[in-house]
Short mmCIF file of all heavy atoms in Angstrom, two decimals:
data_model
loop_
_atom_site.label_atom_id
_atom_site.label_comp_id
_atom_site.label_asym_id
_atom_site.label_seq_id
_atom_site.Cartn_x
_atom_site.Cartn_y
_atom_site.Cartn_z
N LEU A 50 6.28 -61.84 47.64
CA LEU A 50 5.41 -62.78 46.94
C LEU A 50 3.91 -62.39 46.85
O LEU A 50 3.34 -62.57 45.82
CB LEU A 50 5.48 -64.06 47.82
CG LEU A 50 6.93 -64.78 47.76
CD1 LEU A 50 6.82 -65.96 48.64
CD2 LEU A 50 7.38 -65.11 46.30
N ASP A 51 3.41 -61.70 47.88
CA ASP A 51 2.01 -61.14 47.76
C ASP A 51 1.93 -60.09 46.76
O ASP A 51 0.87 -60.17 45.93
CB ASP A 51 1.69 -60.69 49.11
CG ASP A 51 1.45 -61.79 50.15
OD1 ASP A 51 1.42 -62.87 49.77
OD2 ASP A 51 1.43 -61.36 51.39
N TRP A 52 2.82 -59.31 46.63
CA TRP A 52 2.93 -58.22 45.59
C TRP A 52 3.00 -58.82 44.21
O TRP A 52 2.13 -58.38 43.27
CB TRP A 52 4.18 -57.30 45.64
CG TRP A 52 4.24 -56.26 44.81
CD1 TRP A 52 3.53 -55.02 44.79
CD2 TRP A 52 5.11 -56.29 43.73
NE1 TRP A 52 4.00 -54.27 43.66
CE2 TRP A 52 4.94 -54.98 42.89
CE3 TRP A 52 5.95 -57.16 43.09
CZ2 TRP A 52 5.51 -54.68 41.80
CZ3 TRP A 52 6.66 -56.81 41.89
CH2 TRP A 52 6.44 -55.55 41.24
N ILE A 53 3.87 -59.90 43.89
CA ILE A 53 3.75 -60.56 42.70
C ILE A 53 2.45 -61.19 42.30
O ILE A 53 2.11 -60.95 41.17
CB ILE A 53 4.95 -61.62 42.62
CG1 ILE A 53 6.36 -61.06 42.56
CG2 ILE A 53 4.89 -62.61 41.38
CD1 ILE A 53 7.48 -62.06 42.87
N GLN A 54 1.83 -61.76 43.19
CA GLN A 54 0.57 -62.27 43.03
C GLN A 54 -0.47 -61.30 42.63
O GLN A 54 -1.38 -61.41 41.87
CB GLN A 54 0.10 -63.13 44.23
CG GLN A 54 -1.18 -64.07 43.88
CD GLN A 54 -1.00 -64.96 42.71
OE1 GLN A 54 -0.10 -65.65 42.66
NE2 GLN A 54 -1.92 -64.74 41.69
N ARG A 55 -0.39 -60.15 43.43
CA ARG A 55 -1.40 -59.02 43.12
C ARG A 55 -1.24 -58.56 41.82
O ARG A 55 -2.22 -58.17 41.03
CB ARG A 55 -1.14 -57.95 44.27
CG ARG A 55 -2.19 -56.85 44.11
CD ARG A 55 -2.07 -55.94 45.40
NE ARG A 55 -3.07 -54.83 45.16
CZ ARG A 55 -2.69 -53.60 45.41
NH1 ARG A 55 -1.51 -53.20 45.76
NH2 ARG A 55 -3.52 -52.62 45.16
N MET A 56 0.08 -58.39 41.36
CA MET A 56 0.14 -57.82 39.94
C MET A 56 -0.38 -58.90 38.92
O MET A 56 -0.99 -58.45 38.00
CB MET A 56 1.72 -57.68 39.65
CG MET A 56 2.36 -56.51 40.44
SD MET A 56 1.68 -54.95 39.74
CE MET A 56 2.38 -53.85 40.91
N LYS A 57 -0.13 -60.10 39.12
CA LYS A 57 -0.72 -61.10 38.33
C LYS A 57 -2.24 -61.17 38.27
O LYS A 57 -2.83 -61.23 37.19
CB LYS A 57 -0.19 -62.54 38.67
CG LYS A 57 1.39 -62.63 38.39
CD LYS A 57 1.74 -64.19 38.88
CE LYS A 57 3.25 -64.32 38.60
NZ LYS A 57 3.53 -65.74 39.06
N ASP A 58 -2.81 -60.98 39.34
CA ASP A 58 -4.15 -60.93 39.55
C ASP A 58 -4.80 -59.78 38.82
O ASP A 58 -6.02 -59.80 38.39
CB ASP A 58 -4.73 -60.85 41.04
CG ASP A 58 -4.36 -62.09 41.86
OD1 ASP A 58 -4.08 -63.21 41.19
OD2 ASP A 58 -4.39 -62.03 43.10
N HIS A 59 -4.09 -58.73 38.66
CA HIS A 59 -4.52 -57.60 37.94
C HIS A 59 -3.89 -57.38 36.53
O HIS A 59 -3.93 -56.36 35.85
CB HIS A 59 -4.04 -56.16 38.72
CG HIS A 59 -4.89 -55.86 39.88
ND1 HIS A 59 -4.69 -56.52 41.08
CD2 HIS A 59 -5.90 -55.12 40.18
CE1 HIS A 59 -5.48 -56.08 42.04
NE2 HIS A 59 -6.32 -55.21 41.29
N HIS A 60 -3.60 -58.50 36.04
CA HIS A 60 -3.03 -58.77 34.60
C HIS A 60 -1.93 -57.67 34.24
O HIS A 60 -1.94 -57.31 33.15
CB HIS A 60 -4.23 -58.57 33.67
CG HIS A 60 -5.35 -59.49 34.04
ND1 HIS A 60 -5.35 -60.90 33.97
CD2 HIS A 60 -6.64 -59.27 34.65
CE1 HIS A 60 -6.48 -61.43 34.42
NE2 HIS A 60 -7.18 -60.45 34.82
N ILE A 61 -1.03 -57.50 35.26
CA ILE A 61 0.25 -56.82 34.89
C ILE A 61 1.34 -57.90 34.64
O ILE A 61 1.53 -58.79 35.47
CB ILE A 61 0.64 -55.92 36.06
CG1 ILE A 61 -0.45 -54.95 36.33
CG2 ILE A 61 2.01 -55.25 35.79
CD1 ILE A 61 -0.67 -53.83 35.35
N SER A 62 1.86 -57.89 33.39
CA SER A 62 2.85 -58.79 33.13
C SER A 62 4.16 -58.39 33.80
O SER A 62 4.46 -57.20 33.80
CB SER A 62 3.09 -58.78 31.63
OG SER A 62 1.97 -59.28 31.03
N LEU A 63 4.85 -59.36 34.34
CA LEU A 63 6.10 -59.16 35.01
C LEU A 63 7.30 -59.86 34.38
O LEU A 63 7.05 -60.94 33.94
CB LEU A 63 6.08 -59.53 36.57
CG LEU A 63 5.00 -59.04 37.39
CD1 LEU A 63 4.93 -59.69 38.72
CD2 LEU A 63 5.11 -57.48 37.47
N CYS A 64 8.39 -59.31 34.32
CA CYS A 64 9.67 -59.76 33.72
C CYS A 64 10.90 -59.16 34.36
O CYS A 64 11.02 -58.02 34.38
CB CYS A 64 9.65 -59.69 32.22
SG CYS A 64 10.95 -60.46 31.37
N ILE A 65 11.61 -60.16 35.01
CA ILE A 65 12.88 -59.77 35.63
C ILE A 65 13.78 -59.39 34.39
O ILE A 65 14.00 -60.24 33.50
CB ILE A 65 13.40 -60.75 36.58
CG1 ILE A 65 12.44 -60.91 37.70
CG2 ILE A 65 14.92 -60.35 37.04
CD1 ILE A 65 12.85 -62.20 38.53
N VAL A 66 14.54 -58.27 34.43
CA VAL A 66 15.50 -57.90 33.40
C VAL A 66 16.79 -57.54 34.21
O VAL A 66 16.83 -56.41 34.89
CB VAL A 66 15.10 -56.76 32.56
CG1 VAL A 66 16.17 -56.33 31.51
CG2 VAL A 66 13.86 -57.19 31.68
N SER A 67 17.68 -58.52 34.21
CA SER A 67 18.86 -58.43 35.15
C SER A 67 20.13 -58.51 34.34
O SER A 67 20.38 -59.26 33.48
CB SER A 67 18.77 -59.49 36.17
OG SER A 67 20.07 -59.61 36.93
N ASN A 68 21.18 -57.77 34.80
CA ASN A 68 22.45 -57.85 34.18
C ASN A 68 23.13 -59.14 34.85
O ASN A 68 24.33 -59.50 34.32
CB ASN A 68 23.27 -56.61 34.59
CG ASN A 68 22.88 -55.49 33.66
OD1 ASN A 68 22.14 -55.60 32.75
ND2 ASN A 68 23.30 -54.36 34.10
N SER A 69 22.65 -59.73 35.80
CA SER A 69 23.30 -60.89 36.51
C SER A 69 23.61 -62.01 35.57
O SER A 69 22.85 -62.45 34.59
CB SER A 69 22.46 -61.31 37.70
OG SER A 69 22.97 -62.39 38.29
N LYS A 70 24.62 -62.69 35.93
CA LYS A 70 25.04 -63.98 35.15
C LYS A 70 24.85 -65.13 36.02
O LYS A 70 25.22 -66.17 35.72
CB LYS A 70 26.39 -63.87 34.58
CG LYS A 70 26.51 -62.78 33.58
CD LYS A 70 27.95 -62.51 32.97
CE LYS A 70 28.14 -61.61 31.92
NZ LYS A 70 28.16 -60.26 32.30
N LYS A 71 24.38 -64.90 37.24
CA LYS A 71 24.36 -65.98 38.24
C LYS A 71 22.97 -66.66 38.19
O LYS A 71 21.91 -66.23 37.69
CB LYS A 71 24.42 -65.35 39.71
CG LYS A 71 25.76 -64.69 39.92
CD LYS A 71 25.88 -64.03 41.31
CE LYS A 71 27.20 -63.42 41.59
NZ LYS A 71 27.26 -62.65 42.78
#
Side-chain angles (χ1 to χ4, degrees):
L50 295 177
D51 292 345
W52 178 84
I53 290 170
Q54 188 58 54
R55 186 167 174 231
M56 289 293 173
K57 290 178 180 180
D58 290 346
H59 284 82
H60 307 289
I61 301 291
S62 298
L63 300 174
C64 183
I65 298 167
V66 176
S67 175
N68 288 349
S69 179
K70 296 175 173 87
K71 297 178 181 173

